Amino acid sequence: MSPLILTRRRFLQSASVAAGAALPGWFEAEAKDTPKPRIPLSANDRPAVALIGCGGMGRYDAKLASVFGDIVAICDLDEARLDETQKQFPAAKRYRDYRDCLGHPGLHAIINATPDHWHTFINLAAVRMGKDVYSEKPLTLTIDEGKRLVKAVRAAGTVFQTGSQQRSDKRFRLAVELVRNGRLGKLKHITTSLPSGPHGGPFSPSTPPATLDWNMWQGQTPDIPYVKERCHGTFRYWWDYSAGTLTDWGAHHNDIALWGLGLPLSEAGPVSIEGHALRDPVPGGYSFPSTFYVHYRYANGVTHTCRTVQTEGGSGNVLDPKTPPAQMSNGVLFEGSEGWIFVTRGKIEASTPAILEEPLSQRTWSAYVSDNHMGNFFDCIRSRKAPICDAEVGHRSVSLCHLGAIAIRLGRPLVWSPSREQFLVDREASKLTGRKQRKGFDGNDVWG
Ligand SMILES: NC(=O)c1ccc[n+]([C@@H]2O[C@H](COP(=O)([O-])OP(=O)(O)OC[C@H]3O[C@@H](n4cnc5c(N)ncnc54)[C@H](O)[C@@H]3O)[C@@H](O)[C@H]2O)c1
């Protein structure tokens, strides 16, 4: 696989790179007409919402949701987290078990901001009870979980939004609309650059805090003694619960890559994958590699590299010193036969100003427009339409990350059928589309 890498000379030759936080005037003018999410006018118009998983992200999501609905219940298996959240929502009823919380009288929707290994169990239970769901990304722990979830959401007809909120950010939408309308000529290569993870350890077990139900926190994952670094916040750097920054940031940037690629959702995935860690984890430390790269190839001939870049104080990376600055940053780079676009939070750049500044007068494709991810969820609760990042979108995007993680674990090229969602030939890889679940969390009635 030979990714199209821009040389520094070519980068500098693009005399005036259109860059910065400002959006082109024509796009701003169009975006002015985007309908704003509807703010409820009366108390009856505000859905009753439960927050399940009261960490930093859950509390932030609940704050956004409280513009459109009422947070009537909060749920966490750590009393300390509940205490903190109760200050934000004093009237909300407290629950320690999500099953009790789902039974809260009159509950309409949930926000699921638990760690990744808990997302699917809770989402399935909620969907089967007819609740609408805003679930944090990465949507699932495994590809098999995603397949089950997509089926369940379809069967129940619930409204489901995945928290990959870059889809509701104007800069990412502009980049994708330009790419899909041929502004770069033929799309050739995508680079998604993610921050490196921490390279820490070994860590020692200790007594869990008295406020925390460690057994329940582990859920379907292997039962092991409590280690602080495995739990709140840093769970994402352990294979047992997640797949490092590949699923954490990858659920954002690879989601944009798939959006820009423009494959039909039922075929949205690579046909081949190869990935490697750049540094092995420390034994007894964070178990997902801090630095890595993955190469994907799609059926339409486009190639894609997803890799870590050095972050301040990070653990380093192997990068071609000639790569242009745009490629060094956390974000998404689309390269086509006629130029490139780099987009990240707060910034969009292109190889020539005209790529961004010339209006897209004739579109062959228009993006789903949402400028407010949480608002879009509540609008869809009313309209019963699919949100911008529904379960299938979230599943396909995180599958790309899971496929990369499996390739890194196995260290050999893999062949994948995106329409069948199966590996071809490789039995060991096929086993990794699911995971062995701990007794007590495997025959759960929500698993189906
Ligand atoms: N969309 C974004 O930009 C964004 C940003 C940060 C985090 N996230 C996602 O949000 C999720 C939470 O991240 P965080 O940083 O807040 O994590 P965190 O570990 O700080 O918080 C998770 C909370 O969930 C609780 N919990 C665990 N299992 C539970 C269960 N079964 N029932 C109820 N509560 C349970 C934990 O006790 C903890 O309080 C992650 O999936 C993460 O990827 C998304």
Side-chain angles (χ1 to χ4, degrees), residues 88-170:
Q88 196 178 340
F89 302 104
K93 182 153 164 54
R94 296 161 70 109
Y95 294 92
R96 278 190 70 122
D97 189 311
Y98 73 92
R99 290 162 292 200
D100 299 333
C101 181
L102 289 174
H104 183 92
L107 187 69
H108 189 105
I110 67 158
I111 294 167
N112 183 354
T114 55
D116 312 356
H117 63 281
W118 261 113
H119 288 173
T120 303
F121 273 72
I122 296 171
N123 289 338
L124 278 176
V127 161
R128 289 182 180 151
M129 289 173 73
K131 311 294 175 200
D132 295 330
V133 176
Y134 183 102
S135 174
E136 265 312 331
K137 48 51 65 178
L139 187 55
T140 59
L141 185 66
T142 65
I143 293 171
D144 289 353
E145 285 188 354
K147 290 180 179 174
R148 285 172 196 272
L149 181 71
V150 169
K151 258 197 216 154
V153 171
R154 269 198 213 122
T158 52
V159 169
F160 194 104
Q161 176 83 300
T162 310
S164 294
Q165 72 274 12
Q166 287 181 176
R167 286 223 181 195
S168 296
D169 177 314
K170 287 193 190 80

Side-chain angles (χ1 to χ4, degrees), residues 315-448:
S315 46
N317 195 354
V318 180
L319 279 177
D320 175 356
K322 293 198 292 294
T323 47
Q327 290 209 35
M328 299 290 288
S329 322
N330 172 16
V332 187
L333 177 73
F334 292 100
E335 292 177 69
S337 53
E338 311 294 323
W340 54 263
I341 294 173
F342 174 77
V343 61
T344 189
R345 294 183 186 181
K347 188 166 81 172
I348 182 163
E349 308 179 332
S351 47
T352 57
I355 287 178
L356 301 182
E357 286 166 13
E358 263 185 31
L360 257 184
S361 41
Q362 283 194 325
R363 284 178 170 79
T364 52
W365 178 85
S366 296
Y368 184 138
V369 178
S370 154
D371 288 341
N372 182 324
H373 211 59
M374 188 60 80
N376 173 245
F377 173 56
F378 280 90
D379 278 350
C380 292
I381 288 180
R382 284 194 200 87
S383 67
R384 308 314 294 167
K385 289 190 178 142
I388 187 163
C389 210
D390 73 4
E392 188 157 12
V393 173
H395 160 59
R396 288 283 175 167
S397 297
V398 76
S399 288
L400 196 51
C401 309
H402 292 322
L403 289 170
I406 294 169
I408 290 171
R409 273 181 86 81
L410 296 177
R412 59 172 177 264
L414 302 172
V415 183
W416 175 253
S417 161
S419 53
R420 284 158 54 194
E421 297 192 88
Q422 277 173 0
F423 284 107
L424 305 183
V425 190
D426 197 318
R427 291 174 87 171
E428 206 184 344
S430 300
K431 275 196 193 146
L432 291 174
T433 60
R435 296 197 192 198
K436 190 165 166 14
Q437 293 166 325
R438 186 157 66 110
K439 203 158 184 273
F441 296 89
D442 50 359
N444 190 313
D445 54 354
V446 299
W447 200 244

Side-chain angles (χ1 to χ4, degrees), residues 52-58 75-78 81 98 113-116 118-119 122 136-138 163 165 212 217 231-233 235-236 248 252 345:
I52 305 181
C54 299
M57 196 60 204
C75 173
D76 203 295
L77 41 72
D78 185 341
R81 288 284 172 100
Y98 73 92
T114 55
D116 312 356
W118 261 113
H119 288 173
I122 296 171
E136 265 312 331
K137 48 51 65 178
Q165 72 274 12
L212 172 75
W217 187 97
C231 194
H232 297 329
F235 65 83
R236 45 172 66 75
D248 188 21
H252 289 300
R345 294 183 186 181

